[in-house]
Amino acid sequence: MPVLLQLDSSSAGADSVSRRLTAEFAAQWRGRGADRTVIVRDLHAEALPHLPHASLHWPARLRPAEAPAFPEAEARQSALIDELLGADVLVIGAPMYNYSLPSTLKAWVDHIHVPGLTAPFDVDSQPLRGKPAVIVTTRGASYDAGSATEGWDHAVPPLRIILETALGMRVEVVAVSRTLALTVPAMAGERAAFDAEYAAAQQELARLAAVL
């Protein structure tokens, strides 16, 4: 039974562009067969707490002997890792907030990135190697190549490092910029460019949903 894990982190609710796109991807992916299951984790509506101690960034065997025990936090972390390991495809809605990740999404990353368990460290551990991950990222403004804001996106690069380099997943990125053209009068002149990027993102996500 193929399983898709859909993570949403936008705080914009029904107005969220990233949520609309992850939902479209999930619906098209699920439509390929009645045996397909989509697990939706809303990281904003049900925000994860921060890890209570730095030792939880490591598997138990690599923690200092004097590290305190946090049974509830460890059980939560284990459940999140098992949920990810059980998925055949991952799709993440990752809006860029203040040029970086939403804190809710960062908390999820901190739970599932465990060197020596989900990523290599003292052992060559990459249980997610080769699994596909789709990052759906949305940005309020424009970060086009050659622009003054090129390189200001600090949302996608860390996700690539974690998912692609550390976890070994096959990462696809689908981006839509200029989302503020929908709500900010000063950005109204960017609406046509937004519409074109949004349509292109829909097409790319439909293609990915058909092959992943």
Side-chain angles (χ1 to χ4, degrees):
M1 178 184 297
V3 175
L4 168 69
L5 176 58
Q6 175 186 340
L7 301 180
D8 288 307
S9 60
S10 171
S11 59
D15 295 326
S16 165
V17 175
S18 66
R19 286 178 182 272
R20 291 205 300 267
L21 290 171
T22 57
E24 285 186 29
F25 175 86
Q28 292 167 348
W29 184 89
R30 182 169 43 203
R32 290 171 52 194
D35 63 333
R36 293 180 167 238
T37 299
V38 177
I39 298 172
V40 179
R41 179 171 287 278
D42 191 327
L43 297 170
H44 179 76
E46 298 182 25
L48 298 169
H50 294 295
L51 292 177
H53 195 269
S55 61
L56 293 183
H57 287 289
W58 301 95
R61 71 178 186 279
L62 295 177
R63 295 174 196 160
E66 67 277 11
F70 297 92
E72 184 178 346
E74 290 185 50
R76 181 187 306 110
Q77 184 177 34
S78 180
L80 290 167
I81 290 171
D82 286 345
E83 182 178 69
L84 178 59
L85 292 176
D88 299 286
V89 181
L90 171 67
V91 62
I92 300 178
M96 186 170 70
Y97 290 165
N98 296 312
Y99 312 108
S100 187
L101 299 177
S103 60
T104 51
L105 180 53
K106 180 59 166 61
W108 178 84
V109 168
D110 288 343
H111 278 78
I112 60 87
H113 177 241
V114 184
L117 182 63
T118 57
F121 188 70
D122 61 329
V123 294
D124 184 17
S125 178
Q126 276 188 320
L128 289 156
R129 183 182 295 151
K131 284 193 178 183
V134 180
I135 300 171
V136 178
T137 187
T138 53
R139 297 87 69 92
S142 147
Y143 303 90
D144 295 343
S147 70
T149 51
E150 179 185 3
W152 285 25
D153 176 357
H154 301 291
V156 172
L159 283 175
R160 272 198 177 278
I161 291 171
I162 294 294
L163 298 177
E164 195 168 52
T165 304
L167 273 58
M169 303 184 79
R170 293 187 292 113
V171 173
E172 303 279 352
V173 178
V174 178
V176 177
S177 301
R178 303 171 172 86
T179 60
L180 288 175
L182 297 171
T183 57
V184 176
M187 291 279 293
E190 300 288 336
R191 180 58 188 264
F194 163 80
D195 289 340
E197 285 194 37
Y198 186 82
Q202 287 181 303
Q203 291 180 355
E204 178 61 8
L205 289 170
R207 183 189 73 80
L208 291 170
V211 298
L212 298 180

